Amino acid sequence: MDKAIVTDQLTRRFGDFIATDAITFSVDRGEIFGFLGANGAGKTTAMRMLCGLLKPSSGHAKVAGYDIATQTELVKKNIGYMSQKFSLYEDLTVKENIRFYGGIYGLSNQRIKEKTAQLLDKLQITKEANQLVSSLPLGWKQKLAFSIAILHDPSIVFLDEPTGGVDPVTRRQFWDLIYEAAHQNVTVFVTTHYMDEAEYCDRISMMVDGKIKALDTPRKLKEQFSAVSMNDVFLQLARQQTVSNQ
Amino acid sequence: MRTIFFILQKEFLQVFRNRAMLPIIFVMPVIQLLILAFAANYEIKNIRIDIVDQDRSSWSQRLTHKILASGYFELNDAPLSVKAAYEHLAQDDADLILVIPPNFERNLVRQDKASLQLLVNAINGSKAGLANGYATNIIRSFNKDVRAEWLAMDERNGPPRIDVTYSNWFNQEMNYKYFMVPGILVVLVTMIGAFLSGMNIVKEKEVGTIEQLNVTPIRKHHFIIGKLLPFWIIALFELAFGLLLGKLIFHLPMEGNVLLIFLFAAVYLVVMLGMGLLISTFTDTQQQAMFITWFFIIIFVLMSGLFTPVESMPDWAQKITWFNPITYFVKVIRMVMLKGSGWEHIRHYFFIMCAFAVVINAIAVWNYRKTV
């Protein structure tokens, strides 16, 4: 199996509204896949379906080789997820958070111990291990949340606007962590609003109104739209959309 | 099982790290027991009375003494005119006026009968009723004294031969606290069960961590058990703590087997926790959860027979109380503690409670699955 995610005409309707309209794409193992689109374009709905939080109305998708509609539990075991809302427990310490998430993913006590030491060392927060998460700066929290999302060595990690509200330096550091994970053959599926971050991805899909309007490497996308930056590409697609709406 | 263990560990860490929590667990029961048990009291003492004695005879003096010696009344004033006494009643200085008219003694001696006038401030209905009752009783007893003294020698009109004596079973001294404290313990356990559990689950929604948990392989029933079990344990601890306080402070009797109370409480709490869970599936913020829980608890408590007997409610209201879990627990805890009822007496209520537990949790879990 060399595809991490395969979708086929994946659709989700809410009443008359089609949030995700028959999207078909695939993501390779170890790839950093950027999932872009304006607010309300259907990114979150698509991502929630891939994570097993939402059942598709029609179409199919396989994540880590498991069907998202019928093998939800297996999908969940094999993915990591970090939401745009900060998802660690502020009233628990760094160590307690690691222990809790390690525990519910079924890691042995021995493994939790090893992983904790590794993680603290990598993020250089060994000193802060027994501090409440609420006392950490936002950038640290975000890095910690990411590290905890991949604590159980998932083959795919979904990141939903992971760097919102973080300064550029920390964002850069955050992306170092993402690259490191990708090197270890973890597939990274990331949504973002920052166009400079889009440039870091191996491939990008642009969603408009529930459909994927463009999908390629950043370089090829720029050529295709004869744009200088991803920002241009995004604006051109958005403008097309406004014109067709009028 | 291991998953549940990790959730439990996290919950207990969070509960005991919460600064507001420890006072709630340890101080709330003490305060509730002390304040409610002393304040929520049907026995009324210190009823302020104005005695207008216009007769000033030895018999009127005796009546006055008898009333004041009863311990229920406190002399507010002894004005000469009824008008002044009215004034006191109007200004809420007095609760009751007793008017002993002129010639009270003379009528008593000569005509064998005399009249008295009682005026009661009836703004607080139950207080007025009690004041009236106490006063009437004392006067009747005074009347008996009079008859005994004056007419004892007379064969035809001798003192009444039949007198009803009564004794109060199961609460000999009619100690009001014996009756109230067990009920207050029920309210306490209910608060912990229904409020804290629901709010705890909604908090995960509010903070957003529930989304993270939903993508983990945690199974829903593991999550629910992990979330509710801590409060089940804390509430049972509260009950033990409250019973101990009741024993130490109020010398509460424990006629029956205390384990029966815990057995019943264990199932009762499953009902309350299920209610908390159900409410948490409807609400998104702790504030909403709290108000909705409050709404139900108030109705349940007021209609539970804790303060007013269920038997005195209108028919339709009595039917509603059949579906009120608090009613059953209040009844059972009083039966076991005061009457020493055994398993065969509470079995019926126990099974009803089990049925409640199954039904409410089935609805809650079903609704929980649907929403997330």
Side-chain angles (χ1 to χ4, degrees):
Chain A
M1 185 202 81
D2 53 352
K3 295 288 185 196
I5 303 172
V6 185
T7 75
D8 176 26
Q9 303 286 316
L10 191 63
T11 305
R12 174 72 203 201
R13 279 181 289 269
F14 294 103
D16 284 341
F17 175 67
I18 304 174
T20 306
D21 191 359
I23 56 172
T24 302
F25 66 92
S26 64
V27 180
D28 292 328
R29 270 201 154 225
E31 191 177 14
I32 302 177
F33 189 83
F35 205 56
L36 274 62
N39 289 331
K43 283 176 304 179
T44 307
T45 307
M47 191 143 153
R48 286 175 66 86
M49 281 193 283
L50 294 177
C51 291
L53 289 178
L54 207 61
K55 292 252 182 281
S57 306
S58 66
H60 298 280
K62 280 192 166 188
V63 170
Y66 300 109
D67 191 296
I68 57 159
T70 56
Q71 298 172 298
T72 325
E73 293 304 316
L74 285 166
V75 169
K76 286 180 177 178
K77 265 203 168 80
N78 286 283
I79 61 168
Y81 175 79
M82 178 184 166
S83 72
Q84 56 195 80
K85 251 187 164 180
F86 182 68
S87 55
L88 297 179
Y89 292 95
E90 300 252 350
D91 51 354
L92 295 182
T93 67
V94 174
K95 242 181 174 163
E96 287 161 356
N97 266 293
I98 300 174
R99 184 177 155 72
F100 173 66
Y101 280 110
I104 59 176
Y105 274 106
L107 268 55
S108 69
N109 284 330
Q110 182 58 33
R111 192 99 184 92
I112 292 174
K113 228 180 229 167
E114 286 167 22
K115 279 279 182 184
T116 306
Q118 259 178 41
L119 192 157
L120 292 174
D121 189 51
K122 191 167 82 185
L123 297 181
Q124 300 176 333
I125 50 171
T126 312
K127 261 200 314 202
E128 287 80 7
N130 290 318
Q131 274 184 25
L132 293 186
V133 165
S134 57
S135 70
L136 300 179
L138 182 64
W140 293 27
K141 287 184 197 171
Q142 233 101 341
K143 284 191 276 184
L144 181 63
F146 176 73
S147 306
I148 288 179
I150 57 169
L151 191 73
H152 57 293
D153 299 317
S155 56
I156 303 163
V157 61
F158 290 87
L159 308 173
D160 191 4
E161 291 172 28
T163 54
V166 170
D167 66 82
V169 179
T170 316
R171 243 162 66 199
R172 184 63 241 185
Q173 289 171 349
F174 192 88
W175 274 87
D176 287 341
L177 286 176
I178 293 182
Y179 276 126
E180 202 187 311
H183 274 303
Q184 286 156 8
N185 220 20
V186 176
T187 310
V188 179
F189 187 99
V190 57
T191 72
T192 180
H193 278 310
Y194 297 106
M195 288 306 139
D196 58 327
E197 283 188 355
E199 312 256 3
Y200 302 149
C201 298
D202 294 329
R203 279 194 309 152
I204 285 170
S205 82
M206 290 271 192
M207 250 185 120
V208 180
D209 265 6
K211 292 192 179 72
I212 292 182
K213 279 288 157 71
L215 196 167
D216 218 323
T217 62
R219 202 162 55 88
K220 286 200 181 141
L221 279 179
K222 279 185 277 188
E223 277 171 17
Q224 188 188 331
F225 289 86
S226 43
V228 279
S229 68
M230 283 309 299
N231 210 17
D232 265 0
V233 178
F234 185 80
L235 286 175
Q236 282 191 36
L237 272 170
R239 221 164 275 148
Q240 274 181 16
Q241 186 50 38
T242 358
V243 171
S244 72
N245 272 353
Q246 279 164 356
Chain B
M1 271 321 280
R2 220 170 143 256
T3 315
I4 297 178
F5 167 75
F6 277 103
I7 303 174
L8 282 182
Q9 191 180 39
K10 160 190 160 284
E11 292 303 324
F12 273 113
L13 276 172
Q14 287 182 306
V15 166
F16 288 108
R17 195 159 286 161
N18 187 339
R19 286 223 182 85
M21 230 17 221
L22 286 179
I24 286 181
I25 292 174
F26 290 102
V27 180
M28 190 170 85
V30 180
I31 294 185
Q32 277 202 342
L33 278 181
L34 288 182
I35 294 187
L36 283 180
F38 281 115
N41 198 329
Y42 281 153
E43 239 181 340
I44 295 180
K45 289 194 175 156
N46 306 326
I47 300 169
R48 295 158 305 172
I49 190 169
D50 264 23
I51 298 178
V52 184
D53 185 354
Q54 296 170 327
D55 191 39
R56 307 244 149 208
S57 61
S58 70
W59 281 105
S60 73
Q61 294 282 330
R62 271 179 74 173
L63 179 60
T64 305
H65 282 302
K66 197 171 173 75
I67 284 173
L68 296 180
S70 70
Y72 294 112
F73 298 96
E74 183 187 280
L75 185 66
N76 174 58
D77 199 2
L80 285 174
S81 74
V82 178
K83 215 175 152 216
Y86 282 162
E87 211 49 43
H88 290 146
L89 205 62
Q91 284 167 6
D92 206 23
D93 290 331
D95 302 309
L96 185 71
I97 303 174
L98 173 69
V99 184
I100 307 176
N103 304 328
F104 172 70
E105 190 179 67
R106 205 181 65 198
N107 290 344
L108 203 61
V109 176
R110 292 206 184 147
Q111 301 170 12
D112 261 9
K113 68 182 194 197
S115 44
L116 291 165
Q117 187 183 19
L118 266 181
L119 297 159
V120 187
N121 177 357
I123 286 181
N124 182 339
S126 61
K127 190 175 179 182
L130 279 167
N132 191 15
Y134 292 150
T136 312
N137 256 334
I138 295 166
I139 293 164
R140 191 177 300 138
S141 148
F142 174 78
N143 191 26
K144 221 172 73 186
D145 293 351
V146 174
R147 283 174 67 87
E149 266 180 52
W150 290 28
L151 306 169
M153 298 303 128
D154 189 327
E155 300 239 319
R156 288 163 300 150
N157 267 331
R161 302 236 166 80
I162 301 168
D163 205 357
V164 180
T165 59
Y166 53 90
S167 82
N168 301 306
W169 281 34
F170 310 125
N171 188 355
Q172 294 262 326
E173 297 101 52
M174 285 288 273
N175 186 328
Y176 188 70
K177 288 175 191 83
Y178 287 180
F179 179 66
M180 278 313 285
V181 172
I184 291 167
L185 282 176
V186 172
V187 174
L188 190 76
V189 169
T190 307
M191 299 278 236
I192 303 268
F195 271 96
L196 297 184
S197 65
M199 280 172 68
N200 182 281
I201 295 173
V202 176
K203 189 180 167 195
E204 298 255 2
K205 274 197 205 176
E206 210 174 77
V207 180
T209 42
I210 196 134
E211 206 183 335
Q212 187 72 40
L213 292 181
N214 284 337
V215 290
T216 68
I218 288 189
R219 290 178 179 273
K220 292 212 162 113
H221 61 272
H222 287 166
F223 177 74
I224 291 171
I225 293 171
K227 275 287 179 194
L228 298 187
L229 196 52
F231 295 101
W232 188 80
I233 295 170
I234 292 173
L236 283 180
F237 168 81
E238 287 287 307
L239 180 62
F241 187 55
L243 282 172
L244 188 71
L245 283 179
K247 184 93 198 151
L248 293 177
I249 303 174
F250 302 111
H251 310 289
L252 279 193
M254 177 58 73
E255 298 294 335
N257 189 342
V258 71
L259 288 179
L260 275 183
I261 293 177
F262 277 95
L263 177 72
F264 196 87
V267 180
Y268 173 79
L269 276 169
V270 174
V271 177
M272 283 299 136
L273 293 171
M275 193 176 115
L277 176 67
L278 182 61
I279 289 171
S280 78
T281 62
F282 288 116
T283 50
D284 293 315
T285 65
Q286 294 187 73
Q287 213 173 34
Q288 291 173 349
M290 208 172 83
F291 272 111
I292 294 183
T293 316
W294 181 244
F295 171 76
F296 283 110
I297 294 289
I298 278 287
I299 293 180
F300 279 175
V301 168
L302 290 180
M303 294 191 69
S304 68
L306 171 63
F307 296 110
T308 48
V310 172
E311 290 74 15
S312 62
M313 294 177 192
D315 213 33
W316 58 267
Q318 288 197 29
K319 288 203 172 89
I320 293 177
T321 64
W322 295 347
F323 301 97
N324 181 354
I326 298 182
T327 312
Y328 294 98
F329 195 19
V330 168
K331 207 181 249 176
V332 165
I333 198 171
R334 280 175 179 163
M335 280 168 70
V336 174
M337 288 182 76
L338 304 182
K339 219 157 70 166
S341 298
W343 167 246
E344 62 277 16
H345 302 113
I346 67 158
R347 193 174 48 194
H348 175 62
Y349 302 116
F350 181 79
F351 291 136
I352 291 177
M353 200 48 68
C354 288
F356 275 141
V358 171
V359 170
I360 197 159
N361 281 286
I363 298 173
V365 170
W366 177 72
N367 209 40
Y368 181 81
R369 280 168 188 276
K370 210 178 55 177
T371 48
V372 189

